[in-house]
């Protein structure tokens, strides 16, 4: 008779708990059944694995050897099942994702499709600062992160564009450019830029400057503002004072902005990829989750999330209905 997975699971549980009572409770079986399973395993291996007294349970030397190998075997068996289910398009269990600030509204369609296709997955999402999210991802506490900018190569993280988001210029209604329906990037060359602190999201910070065409030697005045619950709110409050302009993501178009603020297009449009990030050395299951998320992003030509603005001349202010402003990257 060969050892079966049930024998190994029972043995590992007793070895971890050092108690037949607690191990039986965790396995949802009776102590008598657990004792019989351990006795069968000892018969199979040809020796004693556990020393059981009225006060304690401890491993024999042979039990110590088996514990390491049993854990490896159980892990391999679980991985084999997970890989097979993923190959069949089935994912299950808990999946943890981290979203950068102000990103959640853009992902509703993608995440809804993901859940529709994988109902057995418990999707646990949290929001946080860019550096914090990348740290959690590197430590294996998150399965994936969605961020406004790609991570630098030295972090050892893999990434791909999940979608593209059009960014807008947020300006005071009394600004000289407020009457323009669309603003050229050159018009902003000497405008002070109001932005979140660099330490909050250093890679997104650099990405915004890059999109504006600011190189390392640029002399643009940059005004960093304290972060509120939302990066958009912090920037909007500062722009309302007339001290500079802000560059914000499309979620700002869905907000009730102050009457002293207006959103304007840049021409040509300012498009920034929204990045899906995961560990390069991540598990097969992580890669399956990434593939499933990519497959769930909007992709049909008639999907409302793919429609761009009706015309480059259209503008958005606090009174307008938010247009569809996401385009999926094919």
């Amino acid at each position: 008779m060969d050892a079966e997975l049930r024998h190994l699971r029972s043995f590992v549980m007793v070895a971890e708990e050092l108690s037949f009572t607690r191990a039986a409770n965790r396995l949802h079986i009776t102590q008598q059944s657990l004792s019989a399973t351990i006795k069968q395993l000892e018969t199979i291996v040809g020796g004693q694995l556990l020393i059981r007294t009225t006060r304690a349970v401890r491993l024999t030397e042979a039990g110590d050897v088996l514990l390491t190998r049993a854990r490896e075997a159980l892990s391999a068996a679980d991985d084999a099942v997970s890989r097979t289910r993923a190959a069949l398009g089935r994912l299950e269990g808990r999946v943890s994702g981290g979203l950068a600030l102000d990103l959640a509204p853009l992902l509703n369609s993608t995440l809804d499709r993901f859940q529709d296709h994988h109902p057995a997955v418990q999707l646990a999402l949290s929001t946080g600062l860019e550096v914090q999210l990348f740290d959690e991802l590197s430590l294996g506490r998150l399965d994936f992160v969605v961020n406004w900018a790609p991570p630098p190569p030295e972090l050892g993280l893999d990434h791909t564009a999940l979608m593209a988001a059009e960014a807008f210029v947020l300006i005071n209604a009394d600004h000289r450019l407020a009457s323009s329906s669309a603003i050229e990037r050159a018009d902003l060359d000497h405008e002070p830029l109001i932005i979140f602190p660099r330490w909050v999201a250093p890679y997104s910070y650099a990405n915004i400057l890059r999109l504006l065409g600011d190189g390392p030697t640029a002399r643009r005045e940059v005004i960093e503002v304290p972060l509120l619950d939302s990066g958009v709110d912090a920037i909007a409050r500062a722009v309302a004072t007339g001290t500079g302009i802000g560059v914000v993501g499309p979620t700002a178009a869905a907000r009730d902005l102050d009457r002293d603020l207006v959103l304007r297009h840049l021409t040509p449009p300012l498009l920034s990829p929204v990045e899906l990030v995961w560990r390069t050395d991540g598990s097969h299951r992580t890669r399956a989750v990434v593939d499933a998320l990519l497959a769930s992003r909007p992709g049909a030509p008639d999907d409302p999330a793919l429609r761009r603005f009706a015309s480059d001349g259209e503008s958005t202010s606090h009174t307008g209905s938010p247009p569809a402003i996401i385009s999926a990257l094919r």
Side-chain angles (χ1 to χ4, degrees):
M1 180 179 181
D2 294 327
E4 301 174 5
L5 290 179
R6 65 183 181 89
H7 292 118
L8 299 182
R9 290 192 192 281
S10 296
F11 170 73
V12 169
M13 195 67 70
V14 174
E16 290 179 348
E17 292 293 340
L18 294 179
S19 165
F20 275 76
T21 301
R22 290 193 298 269
N25 288 337
R26 286 183 60 184
L27 291 167
H28 305 290
I29 60 176
T30 64
Q31 288 188 52
Q32 292 83 353
S33 177
L34 178 58
S35 295
T37 300
I38 297 299
K39 186 174 181 60
Q40 287 177 356
L41 180 59
E42 289 179 327
T43 300
I44 292 169
V45 300
Q48 189 175 13
L49 300 171
L50 297 164
I51 298 174
R52 182 179 185 182
T53 68
T54 56
R55 294 185 177 182
V57 175
R58 60 186 177 87
L59 294 172
T60 64
E61 184 176 349
D64 279 327
V65 172
L66 179 60
L67 178 58
T68 299
R69 301 304 183 201
R71 282 172 170 162
E72 292 174 353
L74 292 173
S75 177
D78 290 341
D79 183 63
V81 172
S82 177
R83 287 172 181 258
T84 303
R85 286 174 173 167
L88 293 171
R90 293 179 55 193
L91 284 173
E92 57 186 32
R94 181 184 175 89
V95 173
S96 299
L99 310 180
L101 295 179
D102 299 317
L103 256 178
L106 302 188
L107 301 175
N108 287 338
S109 176
T110 295
L111 296 176
D112 285 348
R113 290 173 188 230
F114 178 85
Q115 288 280 226
D116 288 343
H117 295 153
H118 306 281
V121 170
Q122 179 189 355
L123 193 57
L125 300 175
S126 59
T127 58
L129 304 181
E130 182 180 82
V131 173
Q132 172 194 2
L133 293 176
F134 286 162
D135 284 346
E136 294 288 296
L137 181 62
S138 297
L139 292 171
R141 296 171 183 165
L142 293 174
D143 294 305
F144 68 89
V145 164
V146 183
N147 192 49
W148 290 105
E154 59 266 25
L155 291 186
L157 299 173
D158 213 342
H159 62 93
T160 189
L162 184 62
M163 60 182 68
E166 182 170 4
F168 299 90
V169 180
L170 181 64
I171 56 178
N172 189 287
D174 295 329
H175 194 280
R176 64 180 178 85
L177 297 174
S179 59
S180 303
S181 59
I183 300 172
E184 295 187 7
R185 298 187 197 186
D187 294 332
L188 304 177
D189 283 350
H190 303 290
E191 294 289 336
L193 174 65
I194 297 173
I195 194 171
F196 46 82
R198 186 190 298 267
W199 66 266
V200 167
Y203 317 120
S204 296
Y205 186 106
N207 188 51
I208 289 176
L209 296 181
R210 180 186 60 80
L211 290 173
L212 288 175
D214 289 4
T217 61
R219 295 186 176 182
R220 180 192 304 278
E221 180 184 1
V222 176
I223 303 171
E224 296 185 355
V225 294
L227 191 69
L228 303 177
D229 291 339
S230 162
V232 172
D233 291 339
I235 292 172
R237 180 175 296 181
V239 170
T241 66
T243 55
I245 58 101
V247 175
V248 294
T251 52
R255 292 175 177 270
D256 293 326
L257 296 176
D258 187 273
R259 291 183 178 276
D260 294 331
L261 299 174
V262 291
L263 284 174
R264 292 293 182 261
H265 293 276
L266 273 173
T267 181
L270 193 63
L271 291 177
S272 177
V274 174
E275 295 286 323
L276 177 61
V277 187
W278 66 98
R279 290 175 57 181
T280 303
D281 61 347
S283 67
H284 177 83
R285 180 174 177 277
T286 296
R287 183 65 240 194
V289 169
V290 167
D291 289 342
L293 284 169
L294 292 175
S296 300
R297 59 186 170 178
D302 59 347
D303 194 307
L306 295 181
R307 292 201 301 269
R308 297 289 304 279
F309 289 106
S311 70
D312 286 342
E314 182 182 355
S315 65
T316 306
S317 69
H318 68 281
T319 58
S321 299
I325 44 187
I326 308 301
S327 62
L329 292 177
R330 301 291 183 91

